[in-house]
Amino acid sequence: MLNNSTILVTGGTGSFGHTFVPMTLEKFNPKKIIIFSRDEMKQWEMAKLFNGDPRVRFFIGDVRDRDRLNRALDGVDYVVHAAATKIVPTAEYNPFECIKTNINGAMNLIDACIDKGVRRVVALSTDKASSPINLYGATKLASDKLFVAGNSYSAAYETRFAVVRYGNVMGSRGSVIPFFLSIKDKGVLPVTDARMTRFMITLEQGVELVWHAFEDMEGGEIYVKKIPSMKVTDLASVVAPDAHQEIVGIRPGEKLHEQMIGVEDAFYTYEYPEHYKILPAIHSWDSCKNRIKDGVRVPEGFSYTSDNNAEWMKPAELKSWIERNRAKIGSI
């Protein structure tokens, strides 16, 4: 599907973009991948990684600026929307700025993609958008709703929108694994709560889920990858087995367990071998055979949280993953 196409990635200098670009270049050989972001230094650093590959282009811009999006989207076939203000405390203390990027930016992108005739758009979401308790999660829930409803606005056009949702990305910049690695020599690791659990997904799995969404989507679906869970205490023990774990308490806006599908969404959720799919509740799209395909509706009252997960990552698996990926952990 992505062969010989033009793809634009908003927020493309982040962890996702650094993985999506080389994987997509290798698998699909697109005509062009455009990195759309507002930090010229990150673009300059990223450009050096591709040695002048003419398929990789860079475009300075902000999703808050619809005119700039209109210019960037000329001739674009597919869009991955990864741009977001996503650090929970930052959003709590700068709520207006978070809303401008995560909600207003989503609206700008939806309108611009329809106007420019983009074929398909996949927006990246987060577990924090399911039953949100912090501003970041609330803005991402609003963003998810906007992208789902965008298919109503684009009904007479070719543009279709879908969402992918996943939890803690292993080794990404600012996440728990590189944080623990950076302080393990101090002999003390701060753990918010001994009961805390988190979903574990690699960036490569996140990219593959986006590819699947592009291939599978009819419009309005939210794709949720089946991934293992892990206790944060076990994670800390793998990173620094000799360190003391100091319980410091849950921070404002933080959940004890991650949730990607709540019981309220169970009626619209279908299960597949490697993922779940939440179908839109509007326009009877949840009963659309083209969207359901071979899915099986989950039972009433179903939820998908990191503590009720059927799959758990073993400490040995995490240790092996860290050893294989140590050079790039926290660097992108």
Side-chain angles (χ1 to χ4, degrees):
M1 172 175 283
L2 300 178
N3 292 324
N4 200 37
S5 64
T6 297
I7 307 162
L8 182 139
V9 185
T10 70
T13 57
S15 300
F16 176 85
H18 271 271
T19 304
F20 176 85
V21 173
M23 286 181 65
T24 303
L25 289 173
E26 181 178 356
K27 184 175 179 65
F28 295 102
N29 190 26
K31 183 191 307 179
K32 190 190 310 180
I33 298 181
I34 303 168
I35 305 301
F36 181 90
S37 68
R38 62 188 183 183
D39 190 324
E40 73 275 17
M41 182 57 70
K42 289 180 183 177
Q43 289 196 4
W44 184 70
E45 292 289 347
M46 187 174 180
K48 292 187 291 185
L49 301 175
F50 296 96
N51 297 317
D53 189 327
R55 298 173 296 173
V56 183
R57 309 291 179 85
F58 293 87
F59 205 107
I60 294 290
D62 194 319
V63 293
R64 300 181 183 191
D65 186 344
R66 182 173 166 181
D67 289 339
R68 190 62 170 164
L69 280 170
N70 280 330
R71 178 61 61 204
L73 289 168
D74 279 338
V76 169
D77 303 300
Y78 299 94
V79 170
V80 182
H81 180 49
T85 297
K86 61 185 66 173
I87 298 176
V88 170
T90 300
E92 295 296 314
Y93 286 101
N94 301 274
F96 287 22
E97 298 306 303
C98 182
I99 288 168
K100 287 176 186 176
T101 296
N102 295 356
I103 297 179
N104 296 349
M107 293 170 64
N108 288 338
L109 182 64
I110 290 164
D111 283 336
C113 285
I114 294 172
D115 291 345
K116 288 296 183 177
V118 173
R119 291 183 59 195
R120 295 191 175 184
V121 181
V122 171
L124 305 190
S125 185
T126 168
D127 60 275
K128 296 171 182 64
S130 181
S131 302
I133 63 168
N134 54 55
L135 183 75
Y136 168 56
T139 61
K140 291 302 288 184
L141 173 61
S143 173
D144 292 355
K145 295 287 188 181
L146 288 167
F147 280 102
V148 169
N151 293 279
S152 299
Y153 296 113
S154 66
Y157 300 87
E158 189 177 339
T159 308
R160 295 293 177 264
F161 302 91
V163 174
V164 299
R165 180 181 292 171
Y166 43 78
N168 176 57
V169 178
M170 297 165 60
S172 61
R173 188 173 53 215
S175 63
V176 65
I177 293 176
F179 172 64
F180 279 171
L181 284 170
S182 71
I183 63 171
K184 70 173 187 174
D185 291 339
K186 295 181 179 180
V188 178
L189 296 185
V191 174
T192 52
D193 192 292
R195 299 165 294 170
M196 183 171 284
T197 61
R198 288 293 178 261
F199 285 113
M200 307 291 282
I201 187 172
T202 66
L203 282 165
E204 290 79 9
Q205 288 174 313
V207 170
E208 290 167 354
L209 184 62
V210 169
W211 290 345
H212 175 73
F214 275 132
E215 185 71 38
D216 180 80
M217 63 188 280
E218 293 290 328
E221 302 91 341
I222 298 177
Y223 295 85
V224 178
K225 176 74 173 173
K226 290 182 179 178
I227 50 178
S229 296
M230 193 168 196
K231 290 187 68 175
V232 173
T233 51
D234 290 341
L235 189 156
S237 295
V238 170
V239 173
D242 298 325
H244 169 68
Q245 297 180 17
E246 181 182 358
I247 305 301
V248 297
I250 294 178
R251 298 171 296 179
E254 189 174 39
K255 288 183 178 180
L256 190 60
H257 307 292
E258 291 182 330
Q259 175 180 294
M260 288 202 279
I261 304 173
V263 293
E264 298 83 4
D265 286 321
F267 185 75
Y268 311 104
T269 300
Y270 290 80
E271 183 175 6
Y272 303 81
E274 297 185 356
H275 67 282
Y276 298 98
K277 193 191 300 184
I278 306 171
L279 297 185
I282 58 176
H283 307 306
S284 299
W285 286 343
D286 62 296
S287 58
C288 169
K289 292 183 179 180
N290 288 340
R291 288 179 170 86
I292 297 172
K293 297 183 172 66
D294 59 348
V296 177
R297 179 173 284 173
V298 300
E300 184 176 349
F302 171 87
S303 65
Y304 187 43
T305 64
S306 58
D307 62 323
N308 74 2
N309 198 355
E311 183 181 359
W312 289 79
M313 178 172 283
K314 295 179 175 62
E317 293 175 313
L318 177 61
K319 183 178 180 180
S320 176
W321 182 89
I322 290 174
E323 291 172 351
R324 295 195 311 271
N325 294 275
R326 188 176 294 273
K328 67 178 184 180
I329 290 174
S331 64
I332 57 175

